[in-house]
Amino acid sequence: MNIVIMGPPGVGKGTQSHWIVEDRKIVHISTGDILRGAIRRGTELGKKVQVVMNAGDLVGDDLMMELIRDRLSQDDVVDGWLLDGFPRTAFQAAEFAKLLKELDQGIDKILVIRAPADEIVRRLAGRITCRVCNEVMNLTGLGNVTPTYCPFCGNSKDEERAKAALYQRADDTEETIRHRLEVFRKKTLPAAWTLEEHFPLAEIDGLGTVDEVAHRIADVLE
Ligand code: AP5
């Protein structure tokens, strides 16, 4: 099964992607994670995209198309994939439709998760990620206190290491979040409607608990 998951920043795309890929035994391809990994490793790609990403702007279309073409040509995608964070512009969507035709692939479902801006700002202001296991969590679910260890990995034994490992993303300040929301509205929503001309799309209400949203998605994927 091939799935594209779209929606504004912080709506829960990454959170929902985790159970979907496990359930469907498909590969999770997050363009944001790929780019952040490149920044962390200090590669040429990372150096090119760091400033743009921290400002909440979009990385160039040509670079993203090259990245996706390369990723979808790798062997591990044969049983299916879930794309999270791509396409982000109408140009990417149109080029992606052409690329899929060329690769003789399709999209079984495009999921567009929606939630109001204030809820998104609230979620992202509280998001923390573990550098060691990459798990994403939220301070509201942790009593609004940054934990002294990562609840998800072996990082719990060493307090100093744990503190250094739990971080807030550079693009999760309120000003940048609001800018990213604007970028989503102007550039990424048109990408969804462009893709819908070729493949089936379902809109998902992103309000409610993680489980409630997961049930809505499961119903649509059945
Ligand atoms: P990317 O990494 O894709 O970021 P994003 O789209 O802004 O989305 P996020 O990862 O911020 O949020 P999410 O929806 O995954 O939410 P999460 O599950 O973490 O892209 C980052 C940047 O990379 C872009 O700005 C751009 O510069 C560049 N880029 C990437 N792809 C590109 C492309 N194709 N073209 C050009 N540039 C590109 O959840 C958020 C928080 O909410 C968490 O704390 C979570 O625990 C919590 N939460 C989740 N669900 C719920 C719920 N139901 N109730 C309460 N809390 C919840």
Side-chain angles (χ1 to χ4, degrees):
M1 184 173 216
N2 295 339
I3 301 168
V4 170
I5 193 162
M6 301 176 83
V11 78
K13 302 182 294 295
T15 303
Q16 298 296 334
S17 293
H18 285 305
W19 74 262
I20 300 172
V21 296
E22 267 183 34
D23 185 58
R24 299 278 159 169
K25 311 256 177 310
I26 56 178
V27 182
H28 182 198
I29 303 174
S30 157
T31 46
D33 284 350
I34 294 172
L35 296 170
R36 276 185 295 277
I39 293 175
R40 224 173 15 250
R41 293 191 304 279
T43 65
E44 280 310 308
L45 172 66
K47 284 177 199 154
K48 265 190 214 159
V49 301
Q50 184 163 24
V51 175
V52 173
M53 283 182 75
N54 286 353
D57 287 316
L58 294 180
V59 172
D61 284 337
D62 291 345
L63 215 159
M64 293 311 301
M65 286 314 304
E66 199 182 314
L67 191 149
I68 284 298
R69 175 181 281 278
D70 176 62
R71 188 63 189 87
L72 289 186
S73 307
Q74 292 173 23
D75 293 340
D76 62 343
V77 301
V78 287
D79 293 328
W81 40 257
L82 180 152
L83 259 179
D84 164 7
F86 181 93
R88 272 305 224 277
T89 63
F91 178 84
Q92 288 180 17
E95 288 299 301
F96 185 42
K98 285 187 215 160
L99 175 65
L100 288 175
K101 207 167 184 183
E102 186 189 318
L103 298 173
D104 201 19
Q105 295 187 29
I107 301 171
D108 297 288
K109 194 67 85 178
I110 307 161
L111 302 169
V112 180
I113 312 181
R114 309 291 294 268
D118 286 346
E119 170 67 8
I120 279 165
V121 173
R122 195 186 63 76
R123 287 184 189 178
L124 287 183
R127 171 164 66 181
I128 47 174
T129 307
C130 176
R131 251 184 249 286
V132 178
C133 66
N134 237 359
E135 197 67 45
V136 172
M137 55 210 104
N138 203 284
L139 288 177
T140 50
L142 299 164
N144 282 318
V145 179
T146 306
T148 50
Y149 60 90
C150 170
F152 292 93
C153 72
N155 210 13
S156 57
K157 301 283 181 285
D158 180 342
E159 207 169 297
E160 278 313 304
R161 203 175 143 230
K163 273 188 206 152
L166 294 171
Y167 73 100
Q168 274 208 291
R169 271 173 45 179
D171 57 351
D172 277 352
T173 63
E174 177 159 355
E175 194 188 346
T176 311
I177 296 164
R178 295 216 180 261
H179 177 63
R180 285 158 65 202
L181 282 168
E182 194 58 12
V183 171
F184 172 77
R185 198 179 59 76
K186 283 195 183 141
K187 298 193 169 162
T188 305
L189 266 183
W193 312 143
T194 301
L195 215 53
E196 192 188 20
E197 290 167 18
H198 306 273
F199 305 105
L201 179 148
E203 286 198 65
I204 308 285
D205 177 4
L207 278 178
T209 65
V210 171
D211 280 354
E212 283 166 348
V213 179
H215 277 110
R216 289 175 203 137
I217 293 176
D219 284 348
V220 161
L221 292 181
E222 253 178 19

PDB file of all heavy atoms in Angstrom, residues 6 17 19 28 34 37 42 56 78 80 88 99 104 131 134 158 196 217:
ATOM      1  N   MET A   6      -0.648  14.239   4.662  1.00  0.00           N
ATOM      2  CA  MET A   6      -0.415  15.678   4.556  1.00  0.00           C
ATOM      3  C   MET A   6      -1.171  16.394   5.675  1.00  0.00           C
ATOM      4  O   MET A   6      -2.026  15.819   6.324  1.00  0.00           O
ATOM      5  CB  MET A   6      -0.904  16.200   3.198  1.00  0.00           C
ATOM      6  CG  MET A   6      -0.222  15.523   2.026  1.00  0.00           C
ATOM      7  SD  MET A   6      -0.856  16.049   0.426  1.00  0.00           S
ATOM      8  CE  MET A   6       0.045  17.556   0.159  1.00  0.00           C
ATOM      9  N   SER A  17       1.860   8.434  11.604  1.00  0.00           N
ATOM     10  CA  SER A  17       2.621   7.613  10.645  1.00  0.00           C
ATOM     11  C   SER A  17       3.203   6.374  11.315  1.00  0.00           C
ATOM     12  O   SER A  17       3.263   5.299  10.715  1.00  0.00           O
ATOM     13  CB  SER A  17       3.769   8.420  10.038  1.00  0.00           C
ATOM     14  OG  SER A  17       3.264   9.456   9.241  1.00  0.00           O
ATOM     15  N   TRP A  19       2.182   4.284  13.712  1.00  0.00           N
ATOM     16  CA  TRP A  19       1.377   3.056  13.804  1.00  0.00           C
ATOM     17  C   TRP A  19       0.944   2.571  12.419  1.00  0.00           C
ATOM     18  O   TRP A  19       0.831   1.367  12.174  1.00  0.00           O
ATOM     19  CB  TRP A  19       0.165   3.235  14.753  1.00  0.00           C
ATOM     20  CG  TRP A  19      -0.961   4.062  14.202  1.00  0.00           C
ATOM     21  CD1 TRP A  19      -1.196   5.378  14.447  1.00  0.00           C
ATOM     22  CD2 TRP A  19      -2.016   3.632  13.316  1.00  0.00           C
ATOM     23  NE1 TRP A  19      -2.308   5.809  13.762  1.00  0.00           N
ATOM     24  CE2 TRP A  19      -2.826   4.753  13.072  1.00  0.00           C
ATOM     25  CE3 TRP A  19      -2.338   2.422  12.708  1.00  0.00           C
ATOM     26  CZ2 TRP A  19      -3.954   4.696  12.241  1.00  0.00           C
ATOM     27  CZ3 TRP A  19      -3.457   2.360  11.877  1.00  0.00           C
ATOM     28  CH2 TRP A  19      -4.254   3.489  11.655  1.00  0.00           C
ATOM     29  N   HIS A  28       8.359   4.157   6.196  1.00  0.00           N
ATOM     30  CA  HIS A  28       8.027   5.551   6.504  1.00  0.00           C
ATOM     31  C   HIS A  28       9.089   6.456   5.891  1.00  0.00           C
ATOM     32  O   HIS A  28      10.260   6.374   6.252  1.00  0.00           O
ATOM     33  CB  HIS A  28       7.992   5.725   8.024  1.00  0.00           C
ATOM     34  CG  HIS A  28       7.616   7.108   8.474  1.00  0.00           C
ATOM     35  ND1 HIS A  28       7.873   7.571   9.741  1.00  0.00           N
ATOM     36  CD2 HIS A  28       7.011   8.140   7.828  1.00  0.00           C
ATOM     37  CE1 HIS A  28       7.436   8.811   9.858  1.00  0.00           C
ATOM     38  NE2 HIS A  28       6.913   9.183   8.721  1.00  0.00           N
ATOM     39  N   ILE A  34      14.569  13.241   6.930  1.00  0.00           N
ATOM     40  CA  ILE A  34      15.748  13.064   6.053  1.00  0.00           C
ATOM     41  C   ILE A  34      16.589  14.344   6.073  1.00  0.00           C
ATOM     42  O   ILE A  34      17.813  14.307   6.229  1.00  0.00           O
ATOM     43  CB  ILE A  34      15.314  12.717   4.608  1.00  0.00           C
ATOM     44  CG1 ILE A  34      14.621  11.347   4.566  1.00  0.00           C
ATOM     45  CG2 ILE A  34      16.524  12.738   3.653  1.00  0.00           C
ATOM     46  CD1 ILE A  34      13.992  10.982   3.229  1.00  0.00           C
ATOM     47  N   GLY A  37      18.268  14.905   9.431  1.00  0.00           N
ATOM     48  CA  GLY A  37      19.391  13.968   9.550  1.00  0.00           C
ATOM     49  C   GLY A  37      20.613  14.517   8.819  1.00  0.00           C
ATOM     50  O   GLY A  37      21.745  14.429   9.310  1.00  0.00           O
ATOM     51  N   GLY A  42      25.928  17.140   9.123  1.00  0.00           N
ATOM     52  CA  GLY A  42      26.748  18.195   8.524  1.00  0.00           C
ATOM     53  C   GLY A  42      27.095  17.929   7.071  1.00  0.00           C
ATOM     54  O   GLY A  42      28.146  18.368   6.590  1.00  0.00           O
ATOM     55  N   GLY A  56      11.422  28.164   8.728  1.00  0.00           N
ATOM     56  CA  GLY A  56      10.078  27.665   8.443  1.00  0.00           C
ATOM     57  C   GLY A  56       9.688  27.802   6.983  1.00  0.00           C
ATOM     58  O   GLY A  56       8.520  27.709   6.631  1.00  0.00           O
ATOM     59  N   VAL A  78       9.625  -1.702  -1.996  1.00  0.00           N
ATOM     60  CA  VAL A  78       8.820  -2.568  -2.876  1.00  0.00           C
ATOM     61  C   VAL A  78       7.476  -2.981  -2.272  1.00  0.00           C
ATOM     62  O   VAL A  78       6.503  -3.163  -2.999  1.00  0.00           O
ATOM     63  CB  VAL A  78       9.582  -3.844  -3.322  1.00  0.00           C
ATOM     64  CG1 VAL A  78      10.642  -3.511  -4.345  1.00  0.00           C
ATOM     65  CG2 VAL A  78      10.153  -4.597  -2.141  1.00  0.00           C
ATOM     66  N   GLY A  80       5.652  -1.157  -0.297  1.00  0.00           N
ATOM     67  CA  GLY A  80       4.810   0.009  -0.051  1.00  0.00           C
ATOM     68  C   GLY A  80       5.521   1.065   0.776  1.00  0.00           C
ATOM     69  O   GLY A  80       6.551   0.802   1.387  1.00  0.00           O
ATOM     70  N   ARG A  88       4.921  19.221  -1.149  1.00  0.00           N
ATOM     71  CA  ARG A  88       4.659  20.431  -0.352  1.00  0.00           C
ATOM     72  C   ARG A  88       4.239  21.619  -1.216  1.00  0.00           C
ATOM     73  O   ARG A  88       3.888  22.666  -0.691  1.00  0.00           O
ATOM     74  CB  ARG A  88       5.940  20.856   0.335  1.00  0.00           C
ATOM     75  CG  ARG A  88       6.326  20.299   1.691  1.00  0.00           C
ATOM     76  CD  ARG A  88       5.326  20.463   2.765  1.00  0.00           C
ATOM     77  NE  ARG A  88       5.847  20.903   4.028  1.00  0.00           N
ATOM     78  CZ  ARG A  88       6.407  20.124   4.952  1.00  0.00           C
ATOM     79  NH1 ARG A  88       6.561  18.856   4.749  1.00  0.00           N
ATOM     80  NH2 ARG A  88       6.782  20.633   6.092  1.00  0.00           N
ATOM     81  N   LEU A  99       6.358  11.260 -11.931  1.00  0.00           N
ATOM     82  CA  LEU A  99       7.379  10.301 -11.474  1.00  0.00           C
ATOM     83  C   LEU A  99       6.737   8.942 -11.162  1.00  0.00           C
ATOM     84  O   LEU A  99       7.268   7.889 -11.517  1.00  0.00           O
ATOM     85  CB  LEU A  99       8.093  10.859 -10.225  1.00  0.00           C
ATOM     86  CG  LEU A  99       9.098   9.924  -9.549  1.00  0.00           C
ATOM     87  CD1 LEU A  99      10.292   9.646 -10.467  1.00  0.00           C
ATOM     88  CD2 LEU A  99       9.595  10.524  -8.231  1.00  0.00           C
ATOM     89  N   ASP A 104       5.801   3.288 -12.500  1.00  0.00           N
ATOM     90  CA  ASP A 104       4.687   2.365 -12.516  1.00  0.00           C
ATOM     91  C   ASP A 104       4.143   2.132 -11.094  1.00  0.00           C
ATOM     92  O   ASP A 104       3.888   1.002 -10.683  1.00  0.00           O
ATOM     93  CB  ASP A 104       5.120   1.030 -13.159  1.00  0.00           C
ATOM     94  CG  ASP A 104       3.917   0.249 -13.650  1.00  0.00           C
ATOM     95  OD1 ASP A 104       2.851   0.874 -13.829  1.00  0.00           O
ATOM     96  OD2 ASP A 104       4.026  -0.984 -13.820  1.00  0.00           O
ATOM     97  N   ARG A 131      16.893  12.813  20.822  1.00  0.00           N
ATOM     98  CA  ARG A 131      17.950  12.706  19.815  1.00  0.00           C
ATOM     99  C   ARG A 131      18.436  11.268  19.647  1.00  0.00           C
ATOM    100  O   ARG A 131      18.940  10.898  18.607  1.00  0.00           O
ATOM    101  CB  ARG A 131      19.170  13.514  20.288  1.00  0.00           C
ATOM    102  CG  ARG A 131      19.415  14.770  19.525  1.00  0.00           C
ATOM    103  CD  ARG A 131      20.693  15.409  20.014  1.00  0.00           C
ATOM    104  NE  ARG A 131      20.445  16.652  20.738  1.00  0.00           N
ATOM    105  CZ  ARG A 131      20.094  17.792  20.167  1.00  0.00           C
ATOM    106  NH1 ARG A 131      19.963  17.865  18.876  1.00  0.00           N
ATOM    107  NH2 ARG A 131      19.873  18.869  20.884  1.00  0.00           N
ATOM    108  N   ASN A 134      14.757   9.195  18.669  1.00  0.00           N
ATOM    109  CA  ASN A 134      13.927   9.936  17.715  1.00  0.00           C
ATOM    110  C   ASN A 134      12.455   9.996  18.093  1.00  0.00           C
ATOM    111  O   ASN A 134      11.626  10.445  17.307  1.00  0.00           O
ATOM    112  CB  ASN A 134      14.047   9.323  16.310  1.00  0.00           C
ATOM    113  CG  ASN A 134      14.504  10.367  15.329  1.00  0.00           C
ATOM    114  OD1 ASN A 134      14.705  11.537  15.701  1.00  0.00           O
ATOM    115  ND2 ASN A 134      14.681   9.978  14.097  1.00  0.00           N
ATOM    116  N   ASP A 158      21.330   7.616  32.302  1.00  0.00           N
ATOM    117  CA  ASP A 158      22.346   8.655  32.405  1.00  0.00           C
ATOM    118  C   ASP A 158      21.682  10.031  32.293  1.00  0.00           C
ATOM    119  O   ASP A 158      21.305  10.479  31.219  1.00  0.00           O
ATOM    120  CB  ASP A 158      23.362   8.445  31.265  1.00  0.00           C
ATOM    121  CG  ASP A 158      24.464   9.490  31.295  1.00  0.00           C
ATOM    122  OD1 ASP A 158      24.266  10.534  31.947  1.00  0.00           O
ATOM    123  OD2 ASP A 158      25.499   9.244  30.668  1.00  0.00           O
ATOM    124  N   GLU A 196      -4.967  15.292  -5.749  1.00  0.00           N
ATOM    125  CA  GLU A 196      -6.306  14.682  -5.746  1.00  0.00           C
ATOM    126  C   GLU A 196      -6.853  14.504  -7.166  1.00  0.00           C
ATOM    127  O   GLU A 196      -7.759  13.703  -7.392  1.00  0.00           O
ATOM    128  CB  GLU A 196      -7.264  15.558  -4.916  1.00  0.00           C
ATOM    129  CG  GLU A 196      -8.584  14.871  -4.618  1.00  0.00           C
ATOM    130  CD  GLU A 196      -9.589  15.810  -3.975  1.00  0.00           C
ATOM    131  OE1 GLU A 196      -9.431  17.038  -4.102  1.00  0.00           O
ATOM    132  OE2 GLU A 196     -10.538  15.282  -3.357  1.00  0.00           O
ATOM    133  N   ILE A 217      -8.471   7.439  10.925  1.00  0.00           N
ATOM    134  CA  ILE A 217      -7.595   7.065   9.807  1.00  0.00           C
ATOM    135  C   ILE A 217      -7.797   5.589   9.453  1.00  0.00           C
ATOM    136  O   ILE A 217      -7.893   5.217   8.271  1.00  0.00           O
ATOM    137  CB  ILE A 217      -6.117   7.357  10.153  1.00  0.00           C
ATOM    138  CG1 ILE A 217      -5.907   8.867  10.255  1.00  0.00           C
ATOM    139  CG2 ILE A 217      -5.173   6.734   9.130  1.00  0.00           C
ATOM    140  CD1 ILE A 217      -4.511   9.288  10.678  1.00  0.00           C
TER     141      ILE A 217
END
